[in-house]
Amino acid sequence: MRKTKQSYFERLESYLVKLIQEPGADLDQPLGVRLLLLFLKGVSCIFALVVYVRYFLYSTGVIRRYPLGIQVISIGNITAGGTGKTPVTEIFARTLASEGRKVAILSRGYRRKEAPWWQRMFTDVIDPPLVVSDGKRVLLDSAIGGDEPYMLASNLPGVAVVVDRNRVKAARYAIKRLGCDTIILDDGFQYQKLKHSIEVVLVDSTNPFGNGSMLPRGVLREPIKNLKRADIIFLTKCRGDVSKVKEEIKKYNSDAEIVECNHTPKLLKDVWSRDEYPLSWLDGKVTCTLSGIASPKGFENSLRRLGAKVVWCERYADHHRYDSSEVLYALNRTADIGADALITTEKDAVRFPRFETTPVKCLYLRIAIEILAGRENFTEIINRICHMSKRQS
């Protein structure tokens, strides 16, 4: 049996994620699992208290929010992982850039390579942020800049991408050094240090709020009632009737505009050569998958809906950093099965090491946002941003 190189932390993370997402009563679990869930529930209560106190301090001005004097669009969610922020961030940035705005996307660069925390304590203020893209060229790879920042930089020519834990510092750098007049704060709903102009919140229509518990017993990063802060809500993964989810949302925020959308496959690309294949290429093909994302089932099922026969799936923890042996194993296994290709996600592809030759095709699925309903709400928000930006400039 092959030994996976997943770290102990990744294995524990994968187990806990599966546990808190499983439906059913806690009493149906073995005693050891019930005790673990009880402990997680206690930690959730402490976490909820911390979140409440933190927002109270920001809302009362005890902790300062920093204004920038330009438009700051926050794109985030109230749950952990899997809502599809990156494609929504991309459509906002692309649309605003096409309207003549000089856009910078700010990200913390989750799980990128960085200095140990004790070094960052003394260098955070003086070190400049990392510029993944200055709007003209991509300057850093995914290991240094982070998966999502590198993806966004690669797909958005003309848009700057800046990474730093201190996004106030990153924003000021983007304004002063890169000449940006519009800021998009990736995963910004919980980042209160920077004052937001417009709050965009994503809700997964297939699993809006998990089991209703806060982390780590559930997937909520803050209480559902905090949806009241949203100006516009993107309801993602809409493939059927979402009226019940919309009714639930309106209990907490009846004023926010709602946009129904789906993450729609657009094409296939070779991981290394970037050769493109139409989606019709998948019809009837036998495929394997390799992924390290929050919701692998959705990715795998999308291939099946496109006509592929998925016969083997290798899954790692979200943001897993692959080494050559792991990718080579998946490629060889795909070849041994006699499958036509190994398919991965775009977010995974940026973390693959380079291979000059492979025993089988290795393709990634390119995803983009398709707005199904509420296009006028999205257009109105874009117009509001551009109008206010021009007025402020």
Side-chain angles (χ1 to χ4, degrees):
M1 179 176 290
R2 183 181 69 101
K3 290 184 178 180
T4 174
K5 286 197 68 177
Q6 289 192 88
S7 66
Y8 173 78
F9 174 79
E10 283 188 338
R11 293 196 297 271
L12 177 62
E13 179 187 24
S14 297
Y15 172 74
L16 290 176
V17 167
K18 182 179 179 182
L19 186 63
I20 66 178
Q21 289 181 342
E22 280 183 349
D26 294 355
L27 294 176
D28 296 335
Q29 303 286 353
L31 177 61
V33 176
R34 274 184 282 162
L35 292 174
L36 174 60
L37 292 175
L38 184 62
F39 170 75
L40 295 179
K41 186 68 175 178
V43 177
S44 293
C45 293
I46 297 172
F47 178 65
L49 178 61
V50 171
V51 168
Y52 172 81
V53 171
R54 179 174 176 268
Y55 281 119
F56 174 79
L57 294 176
Y58 272 112
S59 62
T60 56
V62 175
I63 302 179
R64 182 185 176 189
R65 289 189 178 106
Y66 290 84
L68 293 178
I70 66 170
Q71 287 286 287
V72 177
I73 301 96
S74 165
I75 299 177
N77 54 31
I78 64 168
T79 57
T83 56
K85 288 190 303 294
T86 304
V88 173
T89 300
E90 183 176 327
I91 193 174
F92 265 92
R94 191 184 303 280
T95 306
L96 287 167
S98 70
E99 293 291 327
R101 309 315 302 168
K102 180 65 175 175
V103 180
I105 298 171
L106 307 186
S107 173
R108 64 168 290 190
Y110 184 63
R111 290 198 182 177
R112 63 185 176 86
K113 290 181 181 179
E114 54 185 338
W117 65 269
W118 60 86
Q119 292 182 21
R120 297 198 305 268
M121 283 179 63
F122 302 101
T123 61
D124 177 67
V125 176
I126 60 175
D127 280 355
L130 297 178
V131 180
V132 183
S133 170
D134 59 5
K136 300 174 184 177
R137 55 203 171 123
V138 179
L139 303 171
L140 298 175
D141 62 15
S142 67
I144 302 299
D147 304 338
E148 287 90 348
Y150 177 78
M151 277 177 55
L152 290 165
S154 300
N155 292 327
L156 292 167
V159 173
V161 181
V162 182
V163 170
D164 200 289
R165 286 174 178 267
N166 185 342
R167 280 173 273 183
V168 175
K169 180 178 71 175
R172 289 171 173 167
Y173 184 95
I175 295 167
K176 184 176 181 180
R177 299 294 183 88
L178 304 178
C180 297
D181 58 25
T182 306
I183 298 293
I184 295 179
L185 192 57
D186 182 35
D187 196 16
F189 196 51
Q190 286 76 40
Y191 193 82
Q192 293 293 299
K193 191 175 180 180
L194 192 60
K195 190 172 182 179
H196 307 164
S197 308
I198 292 179
E199 203 78 72
V200 181
V201 179
L202 277 61
V203 175
D204 179 353
S205 66
T206 64
N207 185 26
F209 311 116
N211 58 19
S213 294
M214 297 276 287
L215 289 168
R217 179 58 189 93
V219 296
L220 288 174
R221 300 166 74 177
E222 53 186 284
I224 302 173
K225 66 181 182 180
N226 286 5
L227 276 176
K228 63 187 178 184
R229 301 204 314 269
D231 297 300
I232 183 168
I233 295 173
F234 268 67
L235 200 54
T236 64
K237 304 179 185 179
C238 298
R239 300 190 185 96
D241 183 14
V242 294
S243 56
K244 290 184 178 179
V245 180
K246 291 172 71 174
E247 288 174 9
E248 183 72 13
I249 289 172
K250 288 183 180 297
K251 292 178 184 177
Y252 304 100
N253 189 332
S254 59
D255 296 325
E257 309 287 356
I258 296 179
V259 176
E260 298 174 35
C261 62
N262 195 18
H263 291 65
T264 304
K266 292 299 180 183
L267 51 85
L268 296 158
K269 278 191 175 184
D270 188 282
V271 170
W272 296 288
S273 73
R274 294 299 192 263
D275 291 340
E276 296 185 359
Y277 297 80
L279 295 177
S280 58
W281 184 90
L282 282 171
D283 191 21
K285 293 290 194 301
V286 177
T287 64
C288 300
T289 67
L290 175 61
S291 62
I293 56 175
S295 303
K297 285 185 179 179
F299 159 63
E300 294 154 9
N301 288 336
S302 68
L303 297 176
R304 295 184 177 101
R305 286 192 293 271
L306 290 167
K309 183 179 180 182
V310 181
V311 295
W312 178 74
C313 301
E314 181 80 323
R315 298 174 180 172
Y316 288 89
D318 195 16
H319 293 274
H320 176 75
R321 183 65 55 182
Y322 297 96
D323 65 24
S324 57
S325 66
E326 292 164 339
V327 178
L328 188 59
Y329 171 80
L331 288 166
N332 287 334
R333 180 70 186 271
T334 302
D336 292 343
I337 290 173
D340 297 289
L342 176 68
I343 312 293
T344 189
T345 72
E346 186 174 9
K347 193 172 82 168
D348 286 292
V350 303
R351 289 181 258 128
F352 280 15
R354 179 82 187 179
F355 289 96
E356 295 302 326
T357 60
T358 58
V360 69
K361 285 183 187 297
C362 187
L363 311 175
Y364 70 80
L365 188 64
R366 170 85 171 122
I367 300 292
I369 282 291
E370 179 185 8
I371 294 178
L372 305 176
R375 166 69 70 173
E376 66 283 357
N377 296 332
F378 174 68
T379 302
E380 192 276 330
I381 287 290
I382 293 294
N383 290 337
R384 190 196 313 175
I385 293 167
C386 292
H387 174 72
M388 292 179 70
S389 295
K390 289 172 182 175
R391 191 171 60 192
Q392 290 173 345
S393 56

